[in-house]
Amino acid sequence: DWSKIIFPRILQEFEDRNVLIITIFLGANDSCTEDNVIQHVPLSRYITNTTELVSTAISSFPDAKVFVITPPPVIGQDWTDYLLKLGNTDYKPDRFNPVIREYHNACFQIVKQFNNPNVVTVDSWTTLFGTNGEELSEEEKISKLQGHFVDGLHFAKTANEKLANEILRIVREKFTEISPEKLERIWPDWDKVNVKTL
């Protein structure tokens, strides 16, 4: 809900710029169980909110590519251990991959309803697992996720790199006109700078 308030304000800050890509990466907190009354967002409201954010992005920057990134899987036990280490002894586990999967799947439905070639889904599950993960046991999922999170919930460097590479792959395949190789440089390469004239 908070994103619906701040998102238009963020976009306004860029209204005089040539925005090429807008990413929407929500759901990791929304998909926690109802026991977490502060962060939980029911699936139907998540769909409504995310749909509104995509609409706002399109209306603000019609030529931009909108990437809806699915909420990623978690290592629930690592997150629980992390919070207990912080002294949160009242914490009751509230992050479960089967529940997150519903929010993940909703992202595909949201993107499909726009029927807009500039709006695409980035599948964080396939990015991290190398497959959509449905055929993996929970133990196999956890094994594949090891090293990708700092605490079971938040991405470590490796997961961020994988996600960035997946976004670049999609750009190069679907939006070649904005692939990094085709964009004009704002600043020259270091070896083109005459240090004597600085």
Side-chain angles (χ1 to χ4, degrees), residues 37-85:
V37 295
I38 294 173
Q39 293 184 308
H40 173 72
V41 175
L43 181 60
S44 60
R45 200 160 86 225
Y46 172 79
I47 292 170
T48 300
N49 290 350
T50 304
T51 300
E52 187 175 321
L53 294 176
V54 173
S55 293
T56 301
I58 292 169
S59 62
S60 299
F61 297 98
D63 295 327
K65 315 310 179 194
V66 181
F67 287 59
V68 179
I69 306 170
T70 67
V74 298
I75 306 175
Q77 189 58 55
D78 286 4
W79 178 242
T80 299
D81 294 345
Y82 173 76
L83 291 178
L84 291 174
K85 260 192 246 174

Side-chain angles (χ1 to χ4, degrees), residues 1 4 15 22 49 55-56 62 101 107-108 185 189 196:
D1 293 343
K4 289 195 319 183
E15 64 187 1
I22 298 169
N49 290 350
S55 293
T56 301
R101 169 71 77 177
C107 290
F108 288 91
R185 290 187 171 272
D189 279 341
K196 295 177 182 174

